[in-house]
Coordinates of all heavy atoms in Angstrom, one line a residue:
L142 N -24.7 -64.2 75.6 CA -25.5 -65.0 76.6 C -25.8 -64.3 77.9 O -26.4 -64.9 78.8 CB -24.6 -66.3 76.9 CG -24.4 -67.3 75.9 CD1 -23.5 -68.4 76.3 CD2 -25.8 -68.0 75.5
E143 N -25.5 -63.0 77.9 CA -25.7 -62.3 79.2 C -27.2 -62.4 79.6 O -28.1 -62.2 78.9 CB -25.4 -60.8 78.9 CG -25.5 -59.9 80.2 CD -25.1 -58.5 80.0 OE1 -24.9 -58.1 78.8 OE2 -25.1 -57.7 81.0
G144 N -27.3 -62.9 80.9 CA -28.6 -63.1 81.4 C -29.2 -64.5 81.2 O -30.2 -64.8 81.8
Q145 N -28.6 -65.3 80.3 CA -29.1 -66.6 80.0 C -28.4 -67.6 81.0 O -27.5 -68.3 80.7 CB -28.8 -67.0 78.6 CG -29.2 -66.0 77.6 CD -30.8 -65.9 77.5 OE1 -31.5 -66.8 78.0 NE2 -31.3 -64.8 77.0
N146 N -28.9 -67.6 82.2 CA -28.2 -68.2 83.3 C -27.9 -69.7 83.1 O -26.7 -70.1 83.4 CB -29.0 -68.0 84.6 CG -28.9 -66.6 85.2 OD1 -27.9 -66.0 85.0 ND2 -30.0 -66.2 85.8
L147 N -28.8 -70.5 82.7 CA -28.5 -72.0 82.6 C -27.5 -72.3 81.5 O -26.7 -73.1 81.7 CB -29.8 -72.7 82.3 CG -30.8 -72.9 83.5 CD1 -31.8 -73.9 83.1 CD2 -30.1 -73.3 84.7
V148 N -27.6 -71.6 80.4 CA -26.6 -71.8 79.3 C -25.2 -71.3 79.8 O -24.2 -72.0 79.5 CB -27.0 -71.0 78.0 CG1 -26.1 -71.4 76.9 CG2 -28.4 -71.4 77.6
I149 N -25.2 -70.2 80.5 CA -23.9 -69.7 81.0 C -23.3 -70.8 82.0 O -22.1 -71.1 81.9 CB -24.1 -68.4 81.7 CG1 -24.4 -67.3 80.8 CG2 -22.8 -68.0 82.5 CD1 -24.8 -66.0 81.4
F150 N -24.2 -71.4 82.8 CA -23.7 -72.4 83.8 C -23.1 -73.6 83.0 O -22.1 -74.1 83.4 CB -24.8 -72.8 84.7 CG -24.3 -73.8 85.7 CD1 -23.6 -73.4 86.8 CD2 -24.6 -75.2 85.5 CE1 -23.1 -74.4 87.7 CE2 -24.1 -76.1 86.4 CZ -23.4 -75.7 87.5
C151 N -23.7 -74.0 81.9 CA -23.2 -75.1 81.2 C -21.8 -74.8 80.6 O -20.9 -75.7 80.6 CB -24.2 -75.5 80.0 SG -25.7 -76.2 80.5
V152 N -21.6 -73.6 80.2 CA -20.3 -73.1 79.7 C -19.3 -73.1 80.9 O -18.2 -73.6 80.7 CB -20.4 -71.7 79.1 CG1 -19.0 -71.2 78.7 CG2 -21.2 -71.8 77.8
M153 N -19.7 -72.6 82.0 CA -18.9 -72.6 83.2 C -18.4 -74.0 83.6 O -17.2 -74.2 83.9 CB -19.6 -72.0 84.4 CG -20.0 -70.5 84.2 SD -21.2 -70.0 85.4 CE -20.4 -70.2 87.0
L303 N -31.0 -80.7 86.3 CA -31.5 -79.3 86.0 C -32.8 -79.5 85.1 O -32.7 -79.7 83.9 CB -30.5 -78.5 85.3 CG -29.1 -78.4 86.0 CD1 -28.1 -77.6 85.2 CD2 -29.3 -77.8 87.4
Y308 N -38.4 -74.8 85.3 CA -37.6 -73.6 85.2 C -38.5 -72.4 84.9 O -38.2 -71.2 85.3 CB -36.6 -73.7 84.0 CG -35.6 -72.6 84.0 CD1 -35.0 -72.1 85.1 CD2 -35.1 -72.1 82.8 CE1 -34.0 -71.1 85.1 CE2 -34.2 -71.1 82.7 CZ -33.6 -70.6 83.9 OH -32.7 -69.6 83.8
K310 N -39.2 -70.8 82.3 CA -38.7 -69.8 81.3 C -38.9 -70.3 79.9 O -39.8 -71.1 79.7 CB -37.1 -69.7 81.6 CG -36.8 -69.4 83.0 CD -37.1 -67.9 83.4 CE -36.6 -67.6 84.8 NZ -37.0 -66.2 85.2
V313 N -34.4 -73.6 77.8 CA -33.2 -73.4 78.5 C -32.8 -71.9 78.7 O -32.0 -71.5 79.4 CB -32.0 -74.2 77.8 CG1 -31.6 -73.5 76.6 CG2 -30.9 -74.4 78.7
F314 N -33.5 -71.1 77.9 CA -33.2 -69.7 77.9 C -34.0 -68.9 78.9 O -35.2 -69.3 79.2 CB -33.5 -69.0 76.5 CG -32.5 -69.5 75.4 CD1 -33.0 -70.3 74.4 CD2 -31.2 -69.2 75.5 CE1 -32.2 -70.7 73.4 CE2 -30.3 -69.7 74.5 CZ -30.8 -70.4 73.4
S315 N -33.4 -67.9 79.5 CA -34.1 -67.1 80.5 C -35.1 -66.2 79.8 O -36.2 -65.9 80.4 CB -33.1 -66.3 81.3 OG -32.2 -67.1 82.0
K316 N -34.8 -65.8 78.6 CA -35.6 -64.8 77.9 C -35.2 -64.9 76.4 O -34.0 -65.3 76.1 CB -35.6 -63.4 78.4 CG -34.1 -62.9 78.4 CD -34.1 -61.5 79.1 CE -32.6 -61.1 79.2 NZ -32.4 -59.8 79.9
L412 N -20.5 -61.6 81.9 CA -21.3 -62.7 82.4 C -21.3 -62.7 83.9 O -20.3 -62.6 84.6 CB -20.7 -64.0 81.9 CG -20.6 -64.3 80.4 CD1 -20.1 -65.7 80.1 CD2 -21.9 -64.0 79.7
R413 N -22.5 -62.7 84.4 CA -22.7 -62.7 85.9 C -22.7 -64.2 86.4 O -23.7 -64.9 86.5 CB -24.0 -62.0 86.3 CG -24.0 -60.6 85.8 CD -25.4 -59.9 86.2 NE -25.6 -59.9 87.7 CZ -26.7 -59.4 88.2 NH1 -27.7 -59.0 87.5 NH2 -26.8 -59.4 89.5
L414 N -21.5 -64.6 86.8 CA -21.2 -66.0 87.1 C -22.0 -66.4 88.4 O -22.5 -67.5 88.4 CB -19.7 -66.2 87.2 CG -18.9 -65.8 86.0 CD1 -17.4 -66.0 86.3 CD2 -19.3 -66.5 84.8
G415 N -22.0 -65.6 89.4 CA -22.7 -65.9 90.6 C -24.2 -66.1 90.4 O -24.8 -67.1 90.9
S416 N -24.8 -65.2 89.6 CA -26.2 -65.3 89.3 C -26.5 -66.6 88.5 O -27.5 -67.3 88.8 CB -26.7 -64.1 88.5 OG -26.6 -62.9 89.3
A417 N -25.6 -66.9 87.6 CA -25.8 -68.2 86.8 C -25.8 -69.4 87.7 O -26.6 -70.3 87.5 CB -24.8 -68.2 85.7
T418 N -24.8 -69.4 88.6 CA -24.6 -70.6 89.4 C -25.8 -70.8 90.4 O -26.3 -71.9 90.6 CB -23.3 -70.5 90.2 OG1 -22.2 -70.2 89.3 CG2 -22.9 -71.9 90.8
L419 N -26.2 -69.6 91.0 CA -27.3 -69.7 91.9 C -28.6 -70.2 91.2 O -29.4 -70.9 91.7 CB -27.6 -68.3 92.5 CG -26.7 -67.9 93.7 CD1 -26.8 -66.4 94.0 CD2 -26.9 -68.8 94.9
A420 N -28.8 -69.7 89.9 CA -30.0 -70.1 89.2 C -30.0 -71.6 88.9 O -31.0 -72.3 89.1 CB -30.1 -69.3 87.9
A421 N -28.8 -72.1 88.6 CA -28.7 -73.6 88.3 C -28.9 -74.4 89.6 O -29.6 -75.4 89.6 CB -27.3 -73.9 87.7

Side-chain angles (χ1 to χ4, degrees):
L142 291 174
E143 184 175 7
Q145 307 295 340
N146 286 329
L147 285 193
V148 186
I149 292 172
F150 181 77
C151 291
V152 172
M153 294 166 61
L303 304 178
Y308 194 38
K310 304 288 183 181
V313 76
F314 294 114
S315 303
K316 57 186 176 181
L412 301 185
R413 298 180 62 185
L414 306 177
S416 297
T418 313
L419 280 171

